[in-house]
Short mmCIF file of all heavy atoms in Angstrom, two decimals:
data_model
loop_
_atom_site.label_atom_id
_atom_site.label_comp_id
_atom_site.label_asym_id
_atom_site.label_seq_id
_atom_site.Cartn_x
_atom_site.Cartn_y
_atom_site.Cartn_z
N LEU A 1 -2.10 -12.43 15.71
CA LEU A 1 -2.25 -12.48 14.19
C LEU A 1 -0.87 -12.88 13.71
O LEU A 1 0.21 -12.67 14.16
CB LEU A 1 -2.39 -11.11 13.71
CG LEU A 1 -3.87 -10.48 13.98
CD1 LEU A 1 -3.97 -9.16 13.18
CD2 LEU A 1 -4.93 -11.39 13.58
N ALA A 2 -0.91 -13.71 12.65
CA ALA A 2 0.32 -14.24 12.09
C ALA A 2 0.46 -13.80 10.58
O ALA A 2 -0.55 -14.13 9.82
CB ALA A 2 0.25 -15.75 12.01
N PHE A 3 1.38 -13.08 10.07
CA PHE A 3 1.63 -12.74 8.87
C PHE A 3 3.23 -12.64 8.61
O PHE A 3 3.90 -12.59 9.57
CB PHE A 3 1.04 -11.39 8.56
CG PHE A 3 1.33 -10.25 9.40
CD1 PHE A 3 2.40 -9.44 9.34
CD2 PHE A 3 0.43 -10.02 10.54
CE1 PHE A 3 2.67 -8.36 10.23
CE2 PHE A 3 0.68 -9.01 11.43
CZ PHE A 3 1.78 -8.18 11.22
N ALA A 4 3.60 -12.79 7.47
CA ALA A 4 5.00 -12.81 7.08
C ALA A 4 5.76 -11.59 7.53
O ALA A 4 5.19 -10.48 7.53
CB ALA A 4 5.33 -13.04 5.59
N ASP A 5 7.00 -11.69 7.84
CA ASP A 5 7.82 -10.50 8.18
C ASP A 5 7.85 -9.42 7.15
O ASP A 5 8.13 -8.35 7.42
CB ASP A 5 9.27 -10.98 8.52
CG ASP A 5 9.34 -11.74 9.93
OD1 ASP A 5 8.30 -11.70 10.72
OD2 ASP A 5 10.32 -12.43 10.11
N ASP A 6 7.83 -9.94 5.95
CA ASP A 6 7.82 -9.02 4.73
C ASP A 6 6.45 -8.81 4.18
O ASP A 6 6.41 -8.29 2.93
CB ASP A 6 8.89 -9.49 3.80
CG ASP A 6 8.56 -10.75 3.11
OD1 ASP A 6 7.59 -11.54 3.61
OD2 ASP A 6 9.08 -11.22 2.15
N ALA A 7 5.42 -9.09 4.87
CA ALA A 7 4.08 -8.90 4.28
C ALA A 7 3.78 -7.43 3.92
O ALA A 7 4.00 -6.53 4.68
CB ALA A 7 3.11 -9.27 5.41
N PRO A 8 3.11 -7.26 2.79
CA PRO A 8 2.82 -5.92 2.36
C PRO A 8 1.62 -5.38 3.14
O PRO A 8 0.92 -6.28 3.75
CB PRO A 8 2.43 -6.06 0.72
CG PRO A 8 2.27 -7.52 0.52
CD PRO A 8 2.95 -8.26 1.62
N GLU A 9 1.39 -4.14 3.14
CA GLU A 9 0.38 -3.62 4.00
C GLU A 9 -1.01 -4.24 3.76
O GLU A 9 -1.77 -4.47 4.76
CB GLU A 9 0.35 -2.13 3.88
CG GLU A 9 1.64 -1.43 4.39
CD GLU A 9 1.67 0.02 4.04
OE1 GLU A 9 0.72 0.68 3.52
OE2 GLU A 9 2.73 0.60 4.30
N ALA A 10 -1.41 -4.33 2.46
CA ALA A 10 -2.69 -4.91 2.15
C ALA A 10 -2.79 -6.31 2.86
O ALA A 10 -3.93 -6.72 3.34
CB ALA A 10 -2.89 -5.10 0.61
N GLU A 11 -1.78 -7.17 2.90
CA GLU A 11 -1.91 -8.48 3.53
C GLU A 11 -1.99 -8.31 5.02
O GLU A 11 -2.72 -9.28 5.59
CB GLU A 11 -0.71 -9.36 3.19
CG GLU A 11 -0.75 -9.80 1.71
CD GLU A 11 0.45 -10.65 1.25
OE1 GLU A 11 1.28 -10.99 2.09
OE2 GLU A 11 0.67 -10.87 0.07
N VAL A 12 -1.42 -7.45 5.59
CA VAL A 12 -1.58 -7.21 7.01
C VAL A 12 -2.99 -6.82 7.36
O VAL A 12 -3.48 -7.39 8.27
CB VAL A 12 -0.48 -6.02 7.66
CG1 VAL A 12 -0.87 -5.59 9.01
CG2 VAL A 12 0.96 -6.52 7.38
N PHE A 13 -3.48 -5.92 6.65
CA PHE A 13 -4.90 -5.55 6.90
C PHE A 13 -5.84 -6.56 6.65
O PHE A 13 -6.89 -6.86 7.30
CB PHE A 13 -5.23 -4.32 6.07
CG PHE A 13 -4.71 -3.07 6.76
CD1 PHE A 13 -3.81 -2.25 6.02
CD2 PHE A 13 -5.10 -2.56 7.88
CE1 PHE A 13 -3.16 -1.11 6.59
CE2 PHE A 13 -4.53 -1.43 8.55
CZ PHE A 13 -3.59 -0.70 7.78
N GLU A 14 -5.59 -7.40 5.58
CA GLU A 14 -6.43 -8.63 5.25
C GLU A 14 -6.41 -9.59 6.44
O GLU A 14 -7.40 -10.22 6.73
CB GLU A 14 -5.98 -9.26 3.82
CG GLU A 14 -6.70 -10.51 3.55
CD GLU A 14 -7.95 -10.36 2.79
OE1 GLU A 14 -8.60 -9.29 3.02
OE2 GLU A 14 -8.34 -11.24 2.09
N THR A 15 -5.20 -9.82 7.03
CA THR A 15 -5.16 -10.80 8.03
C THR A 15 -6.05 -10.30 9.21
O THR A 15 -6.70 -11.18 9.80
CB THR A 15 -3.54 -10.88 8.44
OG1 THR A 15 -2.88 -11.41 7.39
CG2 THR A 15 -3.52 -11.79 9.69
N LEU A 16 -5.90 -9.09 9.53
CA LEU A 16 -6.69 -8.31 10.62
C LEU A 16 -8.11 -8.54 10.32
O LEU A 16 -8.92 -9.03 11.09
CB LEU A 16 -6.25 -7.00 10.79
CG LEU A 16 -7.07 -6.26 11.85
CD1 LEU A 16 -6.88 -6.90 13.30
CD2 LEU A 16 -6.72 -4.81 11.90
N LEU A 17 -8.63 -8.25 9.08
CA LEU A 17 -9.92 -8.30 8.65
C LEU A 17 -10.58 -9.70 8.86
O LEU A 17 -11.57 -9.97 9.37
CB LEU A 17 -10.15 -7.74 7.21
CG LEU A 17 -11.47 -7.61 6.66
CD1 LEU A 17 -12.37 -6.59 7.37
CD2 LEU A 17 -11.39 -7.26 5.19
N GLU A 18 -9.77 -10.66 8.43
CA GLU A 18 -10.16 -12.15 8.45
C GLU A 18 -10.22 -12.65 9.85
O GLU A 18 -11.30 -13.30 10.32
CB GLU A 18 -9.22 -12.95 7.59
CG GLU A 18 -9.40 -12.89 6.20
CD GLU A 18 -8.42 -13.65 5.34
OE1 GLU A 18 -7.38 -14.10 5.93
OE2 GLU A 18 -8.45 -13.74 4.16
N ALA A 19 -9.24 -12.21 10.69
CA ALA A 19 -9.18 -12.84 12.06
C ALA A 19 -10.34 -12.12 12.92
O ALA A 19 -10.92 -12.86 13.76
CB ALA A 19 -7.81 -12.52 12.63
N ARG A 20 -10.50 -10.83 12.79
CA ARG A 20 -11.42 -10.12 13.67
C ARG A 20 -12.89 -10.21 13.20
O ARG A 20 -13.78 -10.16 13.94
CB ARG A 20 -11.06 -8.75 13.88
CG ARG A 20 -9.71 -8.47 14.51
CD ARG A 20 -9.75 -9.10 15.95
NE ARG A 20 -8.62 -8.75 16.76
CZ ARG A 20 -7.53 -9.61 16.92
NH1 ARG A 20 -7.53 -10.79 16.21
NH2 ARG A 20 -6.42 -9.25 17.53
N TYR A 21 -13.03 -10.32 11.98
CA TYR A 21 -14.47 -10.08 11.40
C TYR A 21 -14.88 -11.21 10.48
O TYR A 21 -16.02 -11.20 9.99
CB TYR A 21 -14.55 -8.78 10.63
CG TYR A 21 -14.08 -7.56 11.47
CD1 TYR A 21 -12.96 -7.00 11.39
CD2 TYR A 21 -15.11 -7.12 12.57
CE1 TYR A 21 -12.62 -5.93 12.41
CE2 TYR A 21 -14.57 -6.09 13.41
CZ TYR A 21 -13.49 -5.54 13.23
OH TYR A 21 -13.11 -4.47 14.06
N GLY A 22 -14.03 -12.16 10.16
CA GLY A 22 -14.35 -13.22 9.20
C GLY A 22 -14.75 -12.86 7.77
O GLY A 22 -15.49 -13.41 7.20
N ARG A 23 -14.07 -11.64 7.42
CA ARG A 23 -14.31 -11.12 6.16
C ARG A 23 -12.98 -11.09 5.34
O ARG A 23 -11.92 -11.08 5.95
CB ARG A 23 -14.88 -9.64 6.26
CG ARG A 23 -16.19 -9.50 6.94
CD ARG A 23 -17.26 -10.04 6.20
NE ARG A 23 -18.52 -9.86 6.90
CZ ARG A 23 -19.68 -9.91 6.25
NH1 ARG A 23 -19.77 -10.24 5.04
NH2 ARG A 23 -20.75 -9.78 7.00
N SER A 24 -13.15 -10.92 3.97
CA SER A 24 -11.89 -10.79 3.24
C SER A 24 -12.31 -9.85 2.07
O SER A 24 -13.46 -9.80 1.60
CB SER A 24 -11.40 -12.21 2.71
OG SER A 24 -12.39 -12.77 1.92
N ALA A 25 -11.29 -9.24 1.52
CA ALA A 25 -11.45 -8.43 0.40
C ALA A 25 -11.53 -9.27 -0.91
O ALA A 25 -11.04 -10.38 -0.94
CB ALA A 25 -10.19 -7.38 0.38
N ASP A 26 -12.07 -8.68 -1.88
CA ASP A 26 -12.04 -9.45 -3.26
C ASP A 26 -10.81 -9.37 -3.90
O ASP A 26 -10.32 -10.30 -4.60
CB ASP A 26 -13.25 -8.81 -4.10
CG ASP A 26 -14.49 -8.91 -3.49
OD1 ASP A 26 -15.05 -9.99 -3.33
OD2 ASP A 26 -15.18 -7.86 -3.32
N LEU A 27 -10.04 -8.32 -3.72
CA LEU A 27 -8.69 -8.16 -4.36
C LEU A 27 -7.77 -7.47 -3.40
O LEU A 27 -8.26 -6.66 -2.58
CB LEU A 27 -8.88 -7.12 -5.70
CG LEU A 27 -9.80 -7.63 -6.77
CD1 LEU A 27 -9.93 -6.55 -7.79
CD2 LEU A 27 -9.25 -8.91 -7.37
N LEU A 28 -6.53 -7.77 -3.59
CA LEU A 28 -5.45 -7.03 -2.79
C LEU A 28 -4.46 -6.47 -3.86
O LEU A 28 -4.09 -7.06 -4.80
CB LEU A 28 -4.58 -8.07 -1.93
CG LEU A 28 -5.42 -8.70 -0.80
CD1 LEU A 28 -4.51 -9.73 -0.07
CD2 LEU A 28 -6.03 -7.75 0.15
N GLU A 29 -4.13 -5.28 -3.69
CA GLU A 29 -2.98 -4.59 -4.40
C GLU A 29 -1.79 -4.60 -3.59
O GLU A 29 -1.84 -3.92 -2.50
CB GLU A 29 -3.51 -3.24 -4.93
CG GLU A 29 -2.49 -2.60 -5.78
CD GLU A 29 -1.16 -2.22 -5.21
OE1 GLU A 29 -1.18 -1.48 -4.17
OE2 GLU A 29 -0.02 -2.69 -5.59
N THR A 30 -0.78 -5.26 -3.91
CA THR A 30 0.34 -5.35 -2.94
C THR A 30 1.69 -4.98 -3.58
O THR A 30 2.67 -5.09 -2.88
CB THR A 30 0.50 -6.85 -2.51
OG1 THR A 30 0.82 -7.63 -3.70
CG2 THR A 30 -0.65 -7.42 -1.77
N ARG A 31 1.65 -4.32 -4.67
CA ARG A 31 2.98 -3.98 -5.33
C ARG A 31 3.39 -2.47 -5.04
O ARG A 31 4.56 -2.06 -5.31
CB ARG A 31 2.82 -4.05 -6.81
CG ARG A 31 2.56 -5.49 -7.41
CD ARG A 31 2.64 -5.57 -8.83
NE ARG A 31 1.68 -4.45 -9.51
CZ ARG A 31 2.09 -3.78 -10.61
NH1 ARG A 31 3.27 -4.16 -11.16
NH2 ARG A 31 1.40 -2.86 -11.09
N SER A 32 2.51 -1.73 -4.55
CA SER A 32 2.72 -0.23 -4.46
C SER A 32 3.82 0.00 -3.29
O SER A 32 4.01 -0.75 -2.39
CB SER A 32 1.41 0.47 -4.09
OG SER A 32 0.93 0.10 -2.89
N THR A 33 4.56 1.16 -3.55
CA THR A 33 5.61 1.51 -2.64
C THR A 33 5.44 2.88 -2.09
O THR A 33 6.20 3.41 -1.37
CB THR A 33 7.03 1.40 -3.28
OG1 THR A 33 7.04 2.28 -4.41
CG2 THR A 33 7.30 -0.09 -3.64
N ASN A 34 4.34 3.64 -2.56
CA ASN A 34 4.06 5.01 -2.13
C ASN A 34 2.66 5.29 -2.47
O ASN A 34 1.94 4.50 -3.19
CB ASN A 34 5.03 5.91 -2.71
CG ASN A 34 4.89 5.85 -4.32
OD1 ASN A 34 3.89 6.15 -4.77
ND2 ASN A 34 6.10 5.66 -4.94
N CYS A 35 2.12 6.36 -1.92
CA CYS A 35 0.76 6.85 -2.14
C CYS A 35 0.40 6.92 -3.68
O CYS A 35 -0.77 6.48 -4.02
CB CYS A 35 0.43 8.06 -1.51
SG CYS A 35 0.58 7.92 0.36
N GLY A 36 1.19 7.39 -4.52
CA GLY A 36 0.98 7.52 -5.89
C GLY A 36 0.89 6.08 -6.56
O GLY A 36 -0.22 5.93 -7.43
N ASN A 37 1.69 5.15 -6.23
CA ASN A 37 1.56 3.74 -6.77
C ASN A 37 0.22 3.18 -6.27
O ASN A 37 -0.32 2.35 -6.89
CB ASN A 37 2.63 2.93 -6.30
CG ASN A 37 4.09 3.17 -6.96
OD1 ASN A 37 5.06 2.91 -6.34
ND2 ASN A 37 4.10 3.66 -8.24
N ASN A 38 -0.21 3.42 -5.01
CA ASN A 38 -1.49 2.89 -4.52
C ASN A 38 -2.54 3.02 -5.60
O ASN A 38 -3.21 2.20 -5.99
CB ASN A 38 -1.95 3.59 -3.30
CG ASN A 38 -1.26 3.08 -1.97
OD1 ASN A 38 -0.47 2.11 -2.14
ND2 ASN A 38 -1.29 3.93 -0.98
N ILE A 39 -2.66 4.25 -6.11
CA ILE A 39 -3.67 4.58 -7.14
C ILE A 39 -3.46 4.01 -8.47
O ILE A 39 -4.20 3.42 -9.05
CB ILE A 39 -3.92 6.18 -7.22
CG1 ILE A 39 -4.25 6.66 -5.83
CG2 ILE A 39 -4.95 6.52 -8.27
CD1 ILE A 39 -5.52 6.14 -5.14
#
């Protein structure tokens, strides 16, 4: 898998999802820095 050294977690999981399952999410939230921000 190839992703940027500073890739946010959502992009890491999206890369895995695309490579392994040929699927992608409709949206990525990549700004959060903690669990509260996730929501």
Side-chain angles (χ1 to χ4, degrees):
L1 296 184
F3 51 87
D5 289 342
D6 62 348
E9 294 173 7
E11 289 179 9
V12 173
F13 284 115
E14 174 84 333
T15 301
L16 178 63
L17 185 64
E18 288 175 344
R20 295 295 187 265
Y21 304 101
R23 302 287 185 164
S24 61
D26 298 301
L27 299 171
L28 298 179
E29 184 290 301
T30 60
R31 298 182 316 140
S32 57
T33 59
N34 59 59
C35 293
N37 286 153
N38 284 343
I39 299 304

